Structure formats: C-alpha cells, structure tokens
C-alpha cells in the first residue's frame, strides 16, 4: 500500500484486523508492505495521516490476482462489441472480477499519479465496457483458481508501439538510436 503525505508524516493503516505504521520519506512518499493473506474479501482499508489526522476509508477491497492488460485496438475492443454480446453480458455476473481503466494521458515523462480512473465491478450492466480479451482472461482465471481477479486496462487504440517504450530502451535498438529525442 502506498501514497503521499507530509514529509516525515506518520501513516497508519488498518486492514483486515491488523494495524500497520510507516513514515513518509523526505518527498512525502510512503510505502507499506502488509503480511501475506489468503485471497478473498471484501475488506475495509483505512489509511490515517497522523499529522493531519485525515482518514481515508476504502470499502469492498479484494485480495487476489492483478493483471495488466495493455496494447492497442485488439486489447481495447470492448466486450459489448463481441459476437453474441447479449448472452455474454447477461452471464457476466462476477463481482470478484474488477477492471481499472487508466485514463489516456500523454506525457513525455513518467507521472506520479493518475488523473482519474476507478475500479469497476463486473456485472451485466458494467461488463460491456470491459476489454473483451481481458474479461475472458479474467473470467477463466477466476473460475479456475477461485480467487478475485483485477485487471488494470491500459490499452489505447491507434498508438504506435514506440510510444509504450522508454527513450532509454528505444536508444538500444539500432533503427531508433539516432531518432530518440531526450530531455536531460
């Protein structure tokens, strides 16, 4: 579990009946590792910033597997557009499958946090917007392993693959070495 607080601020976390504590570094970033637990939920997660006494509570938190679904048009193809989508969506009642769709945002440099996005619980009403590939993968995994499955969906139709590769990595490929622009 990670976040931001005042530099040097004490952060307390209550999760699944256990309490954890950490201190934010000089930039205000903090990271806390919880003890391994069995997959399941839902749980409540409370994060308290000791200095400002602000508490954030997250409900319906699940523990399970989290997978990244990324790519271009094929990964972005929605479940609501597949053949037989009516019957597929009618059966898409899997509250232990969640999808987080990251906002499409351009940046020449890594950003610290997202500007939007939320976890969506899979239901016949919401599944139509899920990535079809990610949904079928998550459903198979969930049914096979009997654990909650989270999909972080980061695909963006029409983007070139070079946009997904760091300048450092592109510069190691001879065809791109002289074409990479770097701001240092």
């Amino acid at each position: 579990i990670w976040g931001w607080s005042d530099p040097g601020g004490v952060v307390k976390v209550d999760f699944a009946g256990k309490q954890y504590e950490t201190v934010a570094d000089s930039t205000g970033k903090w990271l806390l590792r919880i003890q391994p637990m069995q997959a399941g939920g839902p749980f409540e997660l409370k994060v308290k910033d000791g200095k400002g006494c602000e508490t954030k509570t997250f409900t319906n938190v699940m523990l399970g597997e989290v997978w990244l679904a990324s790519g271009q048009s094929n990964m972005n193809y929605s479940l609501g557009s597949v053949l037989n989508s009516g019957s597929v969506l009618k059966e898409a009642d899997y509250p232990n499958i969640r999808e987080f769709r990251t906002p499409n945002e351009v940046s020449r440099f890594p950003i610290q946090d997202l500007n939007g996005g939320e976890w969506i619980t899979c239901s016949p009403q919401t599944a139509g917007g899920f990535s079809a590939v990610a949904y079928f993968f998550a459903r198979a995994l969930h049914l096979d392993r009997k654990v909650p499955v989270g999909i972080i969906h980061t695909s963006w139709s029409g983007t070139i693959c070079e946009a997904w590769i760091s300048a450092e990595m592109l510069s190691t490929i001879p065809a791109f070495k002289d074409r990479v622009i770097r701001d240092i």
Side-chain angles (χ1 to χ4, degrees), residues 34 45 53 83 87 94-95 120 155 158 160 171 181:
I34 64 171
L45 169 69
C53 294
L83 291 176
S87 61
Y94 296 101
I120 304 295
S155 56
I160 58 172
S171 67
I181 299 171

Side-chain angles (χ1 to χ4, degrees), residues 25-73:
D25 69 14
S26 62
T27 67
K29 294 179 185 176
W30 59 269
L31 171 69
L32 191 135
R33 297 189 196 292
I34 64 171
Q35 295 174 340
M37 299 173 58
Q38 291 287 339
F43 297 102
E44 182 177 86
L45 169 69
K46 288 187 179 182
V47 180
K48 184 175 183 180
D49 179 352
K51 192 171 185 180
C53 294
E54 179 184 352
T55 300
K56 289 190 178 184
T57 302
F58 302 90
T59 59
N60 199 16
V61 176
M62 304 299 286
L63 291 177
E65 298 200 14
V66 179
W67 290 80
L68 181 66
S70 188
Q72 299 170 309
S73 302

Side-chain angles (χ1 to χ4, degrees), residues 81-102:
S81 299
V82 301
L83 291 176
N84 301 319
S85 63
S87 61
V88 170
L89 292 174
K90 188 185 296 185
E91 296 171 4
D93 190 15
Y94 296 101
N96 288 337
I97 295 176
R98 315 285 173 88
E99 183 183 80
F100 184 91
R101 180 177 295 264
T102 60

Side-chain angles (χ1 to χ4, degrees), residues 11-179:
V11 178
K12 296 180 180 181
V13 173
D14 290 331
F15 184 66
K18 298 191 186 299
Q19 289 75 43
Y20 303 88
E21 189 173 299
T22 191
V23 177
D25 69 14
S26 62
T27 67
K29 294 179 185 176
W30 59 269
L31 171 69
L32 191 135
R33 297 189 196 292
I34 64 171
Q35 295 174 340
M37 299 173 58
Q38 291 287 339
F43 297 102
E44 182 177 86
L45 169 69
K46 288 187 179 182
V47 180
K48 184 175 183 180
D49 179 352
K51 192 171 185 180
C53 294
E54 179 184 352
T55 300
K56 289 190 178 184
T57 302
F58 302 90
T59 59
N60 199 16
V61 176
M62 304 299 286
L63 291 177
E65 298 200 14
V66 179
W67 290 80
L68 181 66
S70 188
Q72 299 170 309
S73 302
N74 291 342
M75 187 61 76
N76 213 21
Y77 193 76
S78 72
L79 187 62
S81 299
V82 301
L83 291 176
N84 301 319
S85 63
S87 61
V88 170
L89 292 174
K90 188 185 296 185
E91 296 171 4
D93 190 15
Y94 296 101
N96 288 337
I97 295 176
R98 315 285 173 88
E99 183 183 80
F100 184 91
R101 180 177 295 264
T102 60
N104 292 344
E105 184 176 340
V106 175
S107 176
R108 292 186 64 199
F109 305 98
I111 55 175
Q112 287 192 28
D113 202 1
L114 299 175
N115 292 315
E118 65 179 313
W119 284 103
I120 304 295
T121 301
C122 182
S123 72
Q125 295 76 33
T126 62
F130 280 36
S131 159
V133 171
Y135 167 79
F136 288 119
F137 173 78
R139 184 184 72 178
L141 195 61
H142 171 66
L143 292 173
D144 180 59
R145 297 194 178 175
K146 310 287 189 261
V147 297
V149 178
I151 298 292
I152 300 175
H153 182 191
T154 66
S155 56
W156 192 341
S157 298
T159 56
I160 58 172
C161 65
E162 292 88 341
W164 296 88
I165 303 170
S166 70
E168 290 75 23
M169 190 62 184
L170 279 175
S171 67
T172 66
I173 303 170
F176 289 96
K177 186 173 184 156
D178 295 331
R179 295 169 48 193

